[in-house]
């Protein structure tokens, strides 16, 4: 069991100020892993308490999956950590722990097999035998999905090379352990090749374009219009790849530190399906149970996608931080008007939005003064800076008057206000 990390006052202040810092990002990764391991332990406790009530095949399957996960960890703990900390693993754990006893829980518990096999692939661990798949597919978080009409997958391999096929045929995939650069596994399809779908990284990064994992989005969709995740082959990977490259160029020209932070904090981009043509700005979101994944529609302009990524990175940072150091306490449930939403928001959502928009104000200010920033983006940034700065000022007033903040939350808001005031002073000074 990983102990929860202790957050130093210096790192806490770095996070509140929204500027990218490697020490803060490292602390958040440690906090995320500690939280994820707590959820894994909760799953083990639930299994232990209900062991006798579980059907014998479900119990044997769980023991087999858990043994493989332990074996992979003995070989390469970092590989197992990469799978356990992948965003959709967090979403799966949250759903499984909330599922009622019986078939619903047992169906979600079967996903542990894919988690264990993914860990074994990354660790180069020996595997063998067959794996029952109640839903006819083996999902390897962060790697891909193999459809198995037989309902079983055959596993074979080790020493860095894993072969997975449908138990009734030769269709499948051969996966090689990734190299030290952190790139995706090498993939070679077997048989007809139509049953394996591998995830793809976005260009020049280790961020995965996840249009396959069944836990990548809430069952009821995202946002007021309940947008579903885009499904392959309609997810338009190449359009996203082009947009991602354009964003990296623009973000590096605007704020190189934030460009590095986006690549370090994010693990996945989950494309959302298209909305109604007159629905307004593209929708983006971060799931509290799956920090590190941005769920978003594809905006029409690189600047909009860049802002969405920076915005959601800060939702990820605050979601992880709040799990380590609670910033809000249960309150009266009062709702407040904010500039970036049409519907009134509770205090925790006001804090989330103010934090993300403070980062956007900082990004926009830097765009107005960056020598390599394109003129069109500079003009847009000038307008965005004024809007974001005003919206954050209004939200900070709400937060300072709230009795729903913890002591840590009040200190966090105080540092945010100091950063906000500094942006105001910078805007009034000569460039």
């Amino acid at each position: 069991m990983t102990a929860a990390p202790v957050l130093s006052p210096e790192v806490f202040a770095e996070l509140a100020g929204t500027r990218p810092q490697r020490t803060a990002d490292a602390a958040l990764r440690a906090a995320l892993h500690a939280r994820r391991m707590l959820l894994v332990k909760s799953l083990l406790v639930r299994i232990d308490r209900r062991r006798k009530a579980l059907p014998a095949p479900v119990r044997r399957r769980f023991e087999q999956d858990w043994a493989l996960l332990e074996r992979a960890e003995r070989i390469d703990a970092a590989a197992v950590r990469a799978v356990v900390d992948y965003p959709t693993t967090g979403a799966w754990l949250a759903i499984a722990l909330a599922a009622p006893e019986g078939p619903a829980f047992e169906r979600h518990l079967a996903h542990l097999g894919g988690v264990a096999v993914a860990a074994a692939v990354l660790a180069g661990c020996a595997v063998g035998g067959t794996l029952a798949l109640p839903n006819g597919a083996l999902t390897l978080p962060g790697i891909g999905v193999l459809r198995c009409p037989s309902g079983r997958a055959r596993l074979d391999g080790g020493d860095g090379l894993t072969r997975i096929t449908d138990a009734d045929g030769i269709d499948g995939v051969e996966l090689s352990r990734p190299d030290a650069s952190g790139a995706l596994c090498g993939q070679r399809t077997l048989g007809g090749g139509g049953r394996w779908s591998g995830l793809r990284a976005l260009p020049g990064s280790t961020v995965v374009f996840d249009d396959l994992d069944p836990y990548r989005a809430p069952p009821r969709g995202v946002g007021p219009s309940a947008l579903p995740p885009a499904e392959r082959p309609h997810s338009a990977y190449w359009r996203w790849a082009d947009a991602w490259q354009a964003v990296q160029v623009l973000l590096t020209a605007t704020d190189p530190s934030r460009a590095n932070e986006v690549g370090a904090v994010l693990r996945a981009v989950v494309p959302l399906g298209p909305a109604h043509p007159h629905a307004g700005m593209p929708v983006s979101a971060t799931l509290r149970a799956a920090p590190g994944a941005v769920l978003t529609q594809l905006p029409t302009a690189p600047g909009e996608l860049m802002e969405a990524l920076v915005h959601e990175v800060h939702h990820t940072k605050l979601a992880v931080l709040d799990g380590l150091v609670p910033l809000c306490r249960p309150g009266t449930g009062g709702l407040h008007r904010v500039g970036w939403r049409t519907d009134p928001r509770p205090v925790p959502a006001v804090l989330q939005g103010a934090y993300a928009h403070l980062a956007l104000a900082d990004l926009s200010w830097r765009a107005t003064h960056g020598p390599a920033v394109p003129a069109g983006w500079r003009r847009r940034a000038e307008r965005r800076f004024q809007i974001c700065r005003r919206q954050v000022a209004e939200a900070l007033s709400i937060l300072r008057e709230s009795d729903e903040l913890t002591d840590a939350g009040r200190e966090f808001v105080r540092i945010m206000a100091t950063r906000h005031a500094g942006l105001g002073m910078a805007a009034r000074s000569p460039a």
Side-chain angles (χ1 to χ4, degrees):
M1 181 70 181
T2 303
V6 177
L7 203 64
S8 70
E10 294 77 16
V11 170
F12 184 84
E14 288 173 356
L15 288 168
T18 75
R19 286 300 302 159
Q21 300 287 344
R22 290 185 179 180
T23 51
D25 290 344
L28 289 180
R29 285 194 294 273
L32 171 64
H33 184 64
R35 173 65 179 169
R36 200 58 57 81
M37 293 304 295
L38 181 62
L39 294 178
V40 171
K41 183 177 181 181
S42 298
L43 183 65
L44 287 175
V45 169
R46 181 172 180 177
I47 292 293
D48 188 60
R49 289 176 176 173
R50 301 291 300 172
R51 187 174 294 274
K52 293 182 179 179
L54 290 173
V58 174
R59 189 168 61 249
R60 287 195 298 270
R61 163 70 185 266
F62 170 78
E63 291 169 351
Q64 173 188 347
D65 295 341
W66 187 256
L68 177 57
L69 196 62
E70 286 186 322
R71 194 160 69 248
E73 186 174 40
R74 286 194 295 270
I75 294 173
D76 188 344
V80 176
R81 177 172 178 163
V83 177
V84 170
D85 292 356
Y86 187 71
T88 61
T89 304
W92 160 66
L93 283 166
I95 292 172
L97 289 170
E101 297 294 341
F105 174 67
E106 293 161 13
R107 184 175 65 255
H108 291 299
L109 184 61
H111 183 68
L112 178 63
V115 173
V117 173
V121 168
L122 296 187
C125 175
V127 295
T130 60
L131 188 64
L133 305 172
N135 66 350
L138 177 63
T139 299
L140 308 182
I143 301 175
V145 176
L146 178 66
R147 286 167 292 281
C148 296
S150 70
R152 295 175 300 134
R154 182 183 293 115
L155 311 175
D156 180 46
D159 195 25
L161 194 65
T162 306
R163 181 186 177 96
I164 311 172
T165 59
D166 186 344
D168 284 354
I170 61 171
D171 281 352
V173 65
E174 196 172 68
L175 299 169
S176 57
R177 186 182 187 185
D179 58 28
S181 69
L184 288 176
C185 299
Q187 304 176 16
R188 185 171 73 88
T189 55
L190 304 172
R195 294 181 181 172
W196 169 255
S197 298
L199 291 177
R200 296 161 289 192
L202 290 164
S205 77
T206 58
V207 179
V208 171
F209 184 74
D210 199 333
D211 54 353
L212 294 173
D213 197 294
Y215 292 95
R216 67 191 186 278
R220 296 181 180 179
V222 176
S225 54
L227 289 171
E231 298 281 353
R232 193 180 295 190
H234 307 295
S235 51
Y237 168 77
W238 293 111
R239 287 182 59 204
W240 278 92
D242 290 343
W244 177 267
Q245 287 182 307
V247 164
Q248 298 312 301
V249 171
L250 183 56
L251 187 53
T252 300
T254 304
D255 191 343
S257 296
R258 287 205 189 278
N260 292 333
E261 182 180 58
V262 166
V265 173
L266 293 188
R267 296 283 304 277
V269 168
V270 175
L272 295 177
H276 188 276
H278 304 295
M281 290 291 290
V283 171
S284 66
T286 296
L287 304 182
R288 186 175 181 81
V294 172
L295 292 76
T296 182
Q297 294 175 294
L298 180 60
T300 56
E304 292 178 359
L305 180 56
M306 178 174 67
E307 289 186 348
L309 294 176
V310 171
H311 185 111
E312 299 304 335
V313 159
H314 283 77
H315 282 329
T316 277
K317 290 163 68 173
L318 201 54
V320 176
L321 174 64
D322 196 47
L324 182 64
V325 182
L327 303 178
C328 297
R329 61 170 61 92
T332 59
L335 300 178
H336 307 271
R337 293 285 179 184
V338 291
W340 54 84
R341 292 282 293 248
T342 57
D343 53 331
R345 310 294 289 157
V347 163
V350 174
L351 177 57
Q352 283 272 356
Y355 185 60
H357 281 79
L358 180 59
L360 291 179
D362 177 80
L363 176 71
S364 299
W365 182 83
R366 291 173 186 277
T368 63
H369 297 89
V373 173
W377 168 233
R378 190 192 310 275
R379 288 191 296 271
R380 184 179 188 276
E382 290 172 352
R383 297 190 299 271
R384 291 289 291 152
F385 173 73
Q386 298 299 335
I387 292 170
C388 290
R389 186 165 161 267
R390 182 179 68 252
Q391 291 175 340
V392 172
E394 294 167 354
L396 288 172
S397 296
I398 295 170
L399 294 170
R400 281 192 291 255
E401 295 174 5
S402 174
D403 62 356
E404 296 182 40
L405 297 179
T406 62
D407 290 344
R410 283 193 292 272
E411 176 63 9
F412 197 81
V413 168
R414 185 194 68 78
I415 299 170
M416 285 175 59
T418 300
R419 177 64 186 148
H420 179 263
L423 284 174
M425 293 175 63
R428 290 189 294 270
S429 2

